[in-house]
Amino acid sequence: FSLVMLLITAFWVTDPFTSKVKPGFTLRNFEQLIANPAYLSTSLRTLGIALAVTAVCILISIPLGIFMAKVASPWLRGVLAAAITLPLWAGYLVKVLAMRITFTEEGFFNWLVAPIGGHSPGFSAFTVVLTLTYLWLPYMAVPVFTAIRQLPPNLFDASADLGAGAWRTVRTIVLPLITPAIIAGSVFTFSLSLGD
């Protein structure tokens, strides 16, 4: 609903005197988005970062979900589930501030890699993608884990009996069956990252 309302209000007009957004219909907002180079570059960078965060969340969530659902012991599964949802327990600003402190010149990352000659990436697009991935990974990992957990074990056994390796099983069995969960997680991670 909120995404639909955001789209609807994108067509509304702005009162030039009060700067209030009022119901109406105009394409001028989209014209400015394309015509103004600052708006265009910011929009494209934002879109790229949101897509990167979504892709990284997918790449982390699938192997993590398979491990948690099909390999890990119940105790380890519980620990991993708590670790995945841990970012949801802290406030948004606390999490962002923690990532900011981690990547400053005197931060944890520089302290960790300085002995081997490394240095922090600073506040780059990479750091933004990493921070947003940390923030929104639970919204991808939980649906993917739940979908993988519901897959019958005999599908994996049948795939192995027919000679398929692990990667082929993931590609031909797991991915098609968990696509709805990936789509649901992608909606969350993409829209939240795009908003940030």
Side-chain angles (χ1 to χ4, degrees):
F1 178 75
S2 60
L3 291 175
V4 170
M5 288 306 299
L6 182 65
L7 180 64
I8 290 171
T9 57
F11 293 99
W12 287 6
V13 296
T14 305
D15 186 329
F17 182 70
T18 63
S19 296
K20 285 184 75 174
V21 178
K22 299 186 309 185
F25 183 82
T26 182
L27 293 174
R28 181 151 168 70
N29 300 329
F30 293 98
E31 290 171 11
Q32 287 180 343
L33 183 67
I34 295 170
N36 189 328
Y39 291 160
L40 183 61
S41 66
T42 302
S43 299
L44 292 176
R45 184 173 57 245
T46 302
L47 183 64
I49 288 172
L51 288 171
V53 169
T54 303
V56 171
C57 285
I58 291 170
L59 291 175
I60 293 171
S61 295
I62 292 172
L64 181 63
I66 292 171
F67 177 77
M68 285 177 62
K70 302 300 180 189
V71 178
S73 67
W75 178 84
L76 182 57
R77 184 179 305 128
V79 169
L80 289 173
I84 289 170
T85 57
L86 187 64
L88 299 176
W89 299 351
Y92 178 81
L93 292 177
V94 171
K95 294 181 280 193
V96 171
L97 183 61
M99 293 301 280
R100 181 175 169 81
I101 291 170
T102 300
F103 289 103
T104 59
E105 288 301 318
E106 298 82 26
F108 174 74
F109 191 84
N110 269 346
W111 172 82
L112 185 66
V113 298
I116 58 172
H119 61 85
S120 171
F123 302 124
S124 62
F126 171 79
T127 306
V128 173
V129 169
L130 189 65
T131 301
L132 292 175
T133 299
Y134 167 69
L135 290 173
W136 307 131
L137 179 65
Y139 293 97
M140 178 69 74
V142 170
V144 168
F145 163 69
T146 303
I148 293 172
R149 190 171 182 196
Q150 294 174 354
L151 296 178
N154 60 1
L155 290 177
F156 292 90
D157 296 338
S159 178
D161 289 345
L162 292 171
W167 293 110
R168 186 166 185 196
T169 300
V170 169
R171 192 179 77 247
T172 59
I173 307 276
V174 176
L175 282 179
L177 293 173
I178 66 168
T179 298
I182 292 172
I183 292 170
S186 295
V187 168
F188 283 118
T189 57
F190 180 78
S191 60
L192 291 168
S193 300
L194 194 67
D196 281 352

